[in-house]
Amino acid sequence: MDFDLNEEQLAIRDMVRELARKEIAPHGRKWDEAETFPKEIFAKLGELGMLGILIPEEYGGAGLGYVEYVAILEEIGAADGGVGLGVAAHNSLCTNHIFTFGSEEQRKTYLPRLATGQWMGAWGLTEPQAGSDAGGTRTTARRDGDLWVLNGQKTFITHASVGKVAVVMARSQPEKEKHHGISAFIVPLDTEGVEAGKKEAKLGMRSSDTATLILEDCRIPADHLLGEEGDGFIQAMKILDGGRISIAALALGIARGALDQALAYAPVREQFGKPLSAYQMIRAKLADMGTMVEAARLLTYKAAFLKDRGQTVTRESSMAKVYASEIAVKVAEEAIQILGGYGYTRDYPVERAWRDAKLCTIGEGTSEVQRLVIARELLRGAQGTV
């Protein structure tokens, strides 16, 4: 059991930390207030291999593992949650789905552009009537000769209006119930019949592009099917196992960023003739915040370590995600409390961290769903020992 990153992993972390502090953190407020997707920083991240972290070098990726991925996302999340969300969604969902379940031809066609940041990728599972209940997918895919015809609407889609390609789940076998009969398709977003709808006005993560994806008689070639027909739901659940590690890492980063702000502020802000850090109540807050961040880090890195070993991480990724996301909200809130009135202003990034953190308890499976998954996995394991 080794809790240390190796030299290569430390070098990657430190490189991303420097980039995040110099080129992301100073612009976070501007991007947030303008609700602007910062194309320039994503181009830079693509050049550095940060948009193809898990993709082998033969397809233009960095060829790294989940441990490195967590280290990278923590640093970006600590600087700006919206940019971190874009990196997480692009890597874990669209790009990783094509790599994991795509044919060799599909990999060679799409991954080099996605992994290098030439294209941003989107992933379409959620619908107006199918959020936590993804089996309720209503988007349809009908075979018409050598084409698939897709109709439906996907909501809360990251990169819907800035992306070039999406992986979309649609019901291709309507005679089958719930999650059976759902298939996954590669949909170039410049295809006729595809349109980005309303851009969401969000509480936080406002530098991340989020919009509705509308499909009206969208015709794509038959070879754009990913894997076997009817396997889309199963594929999506496997992708989300890894995706939840990325959201845990993002939440960890947001929490650590808020803690860093509180630690920097408490010793220099004086009240009643003493710095805030001299007061026992503030020290207790800082101690609790630090402990929560470290516990989230351990859960997240354990899930990443097991994922890199090829193990099933449904339970571990859900535990990391639910804990890290909820403590991120708590730590950011406590940071605001320590900064007092200044923490409530946009002059300090802790209020943005608080707003950003909340999405981590909702996206890629709500906290409530994570607890259902964790309980199911625990009971399954317990039954195996009786």
Side-chain angles (χ1 to χ4, degrees):
M1 187 178 295
D2 187 352
F3 292 98
D4 293 323
L5 298 176
N6 61 38
E7 288 186 11
E8 180 183 359
Q9 291 165 339
L10 286 170
I12 292 168
R13 185 202 66 184
D14 292 345
M15 180 269 291
V16 177
R17 177 177 292 178
E18 188 71 8
L19 171 72
R21 288 179 174 175
K22 288 185 175 180
E23 300 190 39
I24 298 178
H27 306 291
R29 177 179 174 180
K30 176 183 67 177
W31 295 333
D32 175 76
E33 292 184 352
E35 300 187 38
T36 300
F37 177 76
K39 294 181 180 179
E40 65 281 2
I41 195 62
F42 278 89
K44 181 68 173 290
L45 291 168
E47 293 173 4
L48 294 173
M50 299 301 99
L51 298 182
I53 298 169
L54 303 170
I55 306 303
E57 293 180 10
E58 64 184 288
Y59 302 115
L64 301 173
Y66 274 84
V67 169
E68 291 86 356
Y69 187 24
V70 166
I72 290 165
L73 272 175
E74 179 181 342
E75 297 307 324
I76 296 175
D80 186 76
V83 173
L85 178 62
V87 173
H90 177 87
N91 275 284
S92 293
L93 302 180
C94 177
T95 306
N96 194 40
H97 197 142
I98 294 173
F99 171 65
T100 304
F101 295 105
S103 65
E104 187 61 21
E105 183 178 353
Q106 290 169 336
R107 290 178 175 182
K108 288 180 177 178
T109 299
Y110 296 101
L111 292 181
R113 293 184 177 93
L114 289 166
T116 56
Q118 296 175 52
W119 289 0
M120 294 304 296
W123 197 70
L125 178 63
T126 302
E127 298 183 2
Q129 304 299 325
S132 295
D133 179 19
T137 295
R138 296 183 182 180
T139 296
T140 62
R142 174 177 57 85
R143 187 67 182 263
D144 183 12
D146 292 333
L147 299 171
W148 286 100
V149 183
L150 275 61
N151 280 281
Q153 188 175 113
K154 298 293 181 177
T155 55
F156 306 126
I157 306 304
T158 303
H159 304 146
S161 62
V162 301
K164 294 294 185 181
V165 65
V167 173
V168 174
M169 269 52 72
R171 190 171 295 281
S172 64
Q173 299 168 316
E175 71 278 6
K176 296 186 177 181
E177 296 182 357
K178 297 297 287 182
H179 58 271
H180 301 290
I182 296 172
S183 301
F185 300 89
I186 298 173
V187 180
L189 295 182
D190 60 357
T191 304
E192 185 177 354
V194 181
E195 181 182 356
K198 179 175 74 77
K199 182 179 177 180
E200 301 295 344
K202 299 174 295 184
L203 171 71
M205 302 287 195
R206 296 181 356 163
S207 59
S208 174
D209 178 76
T210 309
T212 301
L213 190 62
I214 301 167
L215 305 151
E216 293 184 352
D217 290 331
C218 163
R219 296 174 179 271
I220 56 174
D223 64 6
H224 283 36
L225 174 71
L226 269 166
E228 298 296 322
E229 183 179 357
D231 283 352
F233 181 87
I234 296 170
Q235 292 177 17
M237 294 304 103
K238 290 180 179 178
I239 291 300
L240 284 173
D241 275 353
R244 286 165 181 161
I245 296 174
S246 74
I247 298 301
L250 172 59
L252 168 63
I254 293 171
R256 198 206 78 206
L259 174 61
D260 288 347
Q261 288 289 319
L263 288 170
Y265 184 86
V268 298
R269 172 66 168 170
E270 289 193 0
Q271 291 290 282
F272 304 103
K274 294 191 296 185
L276 290 180
S277 58
Y279 291 95
Q280 187 175 19
M281 187 172 291
I282 299 300
R283 286 180 171 237
K285 286 182 181 293
L286 292 171
D288 288 345
M289 292 160 71
T291 301
M292 287 188 283
V293 168
E294 190 61 21
R297 181 176 288 115
L298 291 170
L299 280 170
T300 304
Y301 272 97
K302 179 184 178 182
F305 172 74
L306 294 176
K307 182 72 172 173
D308 281 339
R309 295 181 69 180
Q311 296 187 25
T312 299
V313 293
T314 302
R315 182 184 69 178
E316 289 79 5
S317 65
S318 288
M319 285 180 169
K321 198 262 188 190
V322 72
Y323 185 77
S325 65
E326 292 187 354
I327 70 100
V329 176
K330 178 65 174 175
V331 169
E333 184 175 278
E334 290 286 51
I336 292 173
Q337 196 71 20
I338 290 172
L339 269 69
Y342 291 110
Y344 197 68
T345 70
R346 284 179 286 179
D347 291 333
Y348 287 82
V350 289
E351 63 84 27
R352 189 172 78 246
W354 189 42
R355 291 187 285 110
D356 288 348
K358 186 58 191 171
L359 181 64
C360 297
T361 71
I362 299 170
E364 296 196 34
T366 64
S367 290
E368 291 77 11
V369 167
Q370 300 314 303
R371 287 182 167 87
L372 291 174
V373 170
I374 294 165
R376 181 194 67 199
E377 295 300 309
L378 289 172
L379 288 167
R380 181 178 293 165
Q383 289 168 1
T385 62
V386 174

